[in-house]
Amino acid sequence: MNFEYSDVCKDYLRRVRAFMDAHVYPNEKTYHEQMRAFGADRWRVPQIIEDLKAKAKAEGLWNLFLPDDDRGAGLSNADYAPLAEEMGRVPWASEVFNCAAPDTGNMEVIARYGSPEQQAQWLEPLLAGEIRSAFLMTEPAVASSDATNIECSITRDGDEYVINGRKWWSSGAGDPRCKVYILMGKTDPDAETYRQQSMILVPADAKGVKIERHLPVFGYDDAPHGHMEVLLDNVRVPAANMILGEGRGFEIAQGRLGPGRIHHCMRTIGAAERALELLVKRAMSREAFGKPIIKHSIWEHRIAKARIEIEQSRLLTLKAAWMMDTVGNKAARGEIAMIKVAAPRMALQVIDDAIQAHGGGGVSDDFPLASSYAGIRTLRLADGPDEVHERTIARLEAKRWLNEG
């Protein structure tokens, strides 16, 4: 593997960094001021997001995640990785470039598996940044880490499917621009285990869809994005909304979750870099017991450890991305699983040290560290908890030595 970024990647990275410097970092305060101005009615979109989206689109910094020359930038996973890292330094920055989850994964699903009609109805407005979407998979009544447990039913009735069930942690469903869900449910409980599930497109305004509540993370509501509990009560959608066909849900999920997991890791490294930057600057600017905090040996140790572990995570992320590009997602599943475990754990420690360096300010909203910690902590659960990925890693390791024997 060549560790040097390609010329295409370098050009896009320069442009993304310049955009972040000129438009995103200077408007972090504006974003929060506009959100506070909404008061209790927080499920609204701050105007600064739409303003910056227009600027990014005009500069050609748009849909960078999609490896399609016609619809996206045509970048490889390895080329996109440093760009996603840069965006990850500010929680809402990815949306400015139309590269935010869960839209990225949903767009990839519809682009790869959707019919021409599905693409025209939902993919095109998503690619244009005109609407947003949500992914409904996790359920409150079962251990959704094992997706075979999912109980939400999808039943054929003539030219329609009828959907009944309850989903939660449906990230993005709170956004007023969210117009479509990709839902995973059970079409045939009697089929073989991995052919029972299907994915289907559900308009957010379909009759019988009810958002029952939002689920804060450590007190953060993540408005206007949100994480919602959604009830589906006899929801009817056209049979043409089925993606790829009945029983193909797991196949689609594997195609969706591989890139989605690696994108999360890329952004997580950006969050860790931002936290380390804040840590160092804080430690350099404050004195305790007669000298700058940064000159106390414990902080030298923490800073060095953070730099080492960030670099380790970045290299493993780049290796996983490179393998996805060269040998495919399936062959890279071990590396994807490893970085999905390693990156959030690393970032949480770096953010925690940065919080410690900021003292009481670190756990307040005066700095972005507390909200960053809350967001990254959820990644140890999102797209599969650590234990599921460790199971994958262990099984691949056992298979390797079994084959050796």
Side-chain angles (χ1 to χ4, degrees):
M1 177 183 176
N2 184 352
F3 292 102
E4 185 177 7
Y5 297 157
S6 71
D7 289 340
V8 171
C9 174
K10 289 178 183 176
D11 178 61
Y12 271 106
L13 184 58
R14 175 188 58 78
R15 291 165 60 195
V16 168
R17 282 176 173 165
F19 192 97
M20 294 282 290
D21 288 340
H23 303 297
V24 176
Y25 299 128
N27 280 303
E28 286 186 274
K29 183 178 179 181
T30 302
Y31 176 89
H32 292 294
E33 287 175 346
Q34 290 183 359
M35 285 300 300
R36 282 195 294 270
F38 293 148
D41 183 18
R42 289 174 49 77
W43 304 100
R44 297 163 61 187
V45 181
Q47 185 59 42
I48 189 63
I49 290 289
E50 297 300 331
D51 293 344
L52 295 186
K53 281 169 62 178
K55 289 180 183 293
K57 193 173 187 179
E59 292 189 20
L61 298 174
W62 195 253
N63 294 332
L64 302 176
F65 70 96
L66 196 63
D68 186 312
D69 289 316
D70 295 327
R71 291 169 167 154
L75 300 176
S76 66
N77 286 294
D79 285 338
Y80 178 61
L83 313 184
E85 177 184 327
E86 199 68 27
M87 298 174 201
R89 292 172 61 90
V90 176
W92 48 267
S94 295
E95 184 185 351
V96 168
F97 304 95
N98 212 37
C99 292
D103 295 331
T104 49
N106 290 343
M107 284 189 268
E108 286 173 334
V109 165
I110 304 172
R112 185 180 300 180
Y113 304 111
S115 68
E117 294 75 18
Q118 291 169 352
Q119 292 178 3
Q121 184 175 5
W122 301 116
L123 179 60
E124 295 307 322
L126 281 168
L127 288 169
E130 296 168 356
I131 66 172
R132 297 208 64 187
S133 62
F135 184 60
L136 277 59
M137 185 172 181
T138 306
E139 298 180 6
V142 298
S144 300
S145 56
D146 178 359
T148 63
N149 288 332
I150 287 173
E151 296 175 343
C152 180
S153 66
I154 306 173
T155 306
R156 184 70 180 255
D157 182 19
D159 292 333
E160 296 179 316
Y161 282 100
V162 182
I163 304 167
N164 282 283
R166 185 183 297 273
K167 300 289 186 177
W168 72 344
W169 297 110
S170 301
S171 299
D175 195 310
R177 299 164 298 174
C178 182
K179 301 302 180 186
V180 65
Y181 307 146
I182 293 182
L183 177 141
M184 186 163 176
K186 188 168 289 188
T187 44
D188 185 357
D190 298 321
E192 59 181 282
T193 303
Y194 294 101
R195 297 286 294 180
Q196 296 179 7
Q197 312 286 347
S198 303
M199 287 198 190
I200 194 164
L201 292 157
V202 180
D205 62 356
K207 184 179 179 181
V209 172
K210 181 182 179 183
I211 294 179
E212 295 205 318
R213 60 173 177 149
H214 74 84
L215 301 160
V217 178
F218 294 151
Y220 291 97
D221 60 15
D222 289 334
H225 187 67
H227 315 282
M228 314 309 257
E229 183 169 341
V230 183
L231 176 67
L232 301 112
D233 182 14
N234 288 317
V235 176
R236 288 182 172 269
V237 300
N241 284 23
M242 180 64 66
I243 303 174
L244 198 58
E246 289 189 17
R248 309 291 291 274
F250 273 92
E251 178 184 345
I252 298 169
Q254 290 309 308
R256 181 191 191 281
L257 293 175
R261 287 165 180 157
I262 200 77
H263 292 172
H264 276 317
C265 296
M266 296 166 182
R267 290 187 289 266
T268 296
I269 292 168
E273 281 282 11
R274 185 84 187 278
L276 180 57
E277 175 187 327
L278 292 171
L279 188 167
V280 172
K281 288 180 178 178
R282 184 75 169 187
M284 291 174 66
S285 68
R286 296 296 179 97
E287 287 193 6
F289 305 106
K291 59 183 178 180
I293 289 173
I294 198 169
K295 292 188 176 181
H296 290 269
S297 60
I298 190 170
W299 287 104
E300 292 176 339
H301 166 74
R302 288 171 177 168
I303 291 167
K305 186 171 181 285
R307 171 51 60 204
I308 291 166
E309 293 183 355
I310 289 173
E311 296 299 325
Q312 289 173 337
S313 292
R314 180 181 291 113
L315 289 173
L316 182 52
T317 303
L318 289 172
K319 181 188 177 186
W322 172 74
M323 288 186 67
M324 291 167 69
D325 292 333
T326 56
V327 296
N329 295 357
K330 185 176 181 180
R333 66 189 184 279
E335 281 69 20
I336 294 170
M338 283 186 271
I339 193 54
K340 180 58 174 63
V341 173
R345 289 182 179 179
M346 171 278 296
L348 286 172
Q349 185 59 62
V350 176
I351 296 168
D352 189 68
D353 286 342
I355 289 173
Q356 197 72 9
H358 284 73
V363 294
S364 76
D365 286 342
D366 286 359
F367 300 92
L369 296 167
S371 60
S372 180
Y373 187 95
I376 299 297
R377 182 59 183 85
T378 64
L379 291 185
R380 293 190 57 199
L381 300 167
D383 288 349
D386 288 0
E387 292 79 4
V388 169
H389 301 301
E390 289 172 339
R391 182 173 184 258
T392 296
I393 297 163
R395 288 189 167 195
L396 288 171
E397 193 69 12
K399 184 178 179 181
R400 170 189 170 198
W401 291 107
L402 180 64
N403 292 339
E404 286 286 330

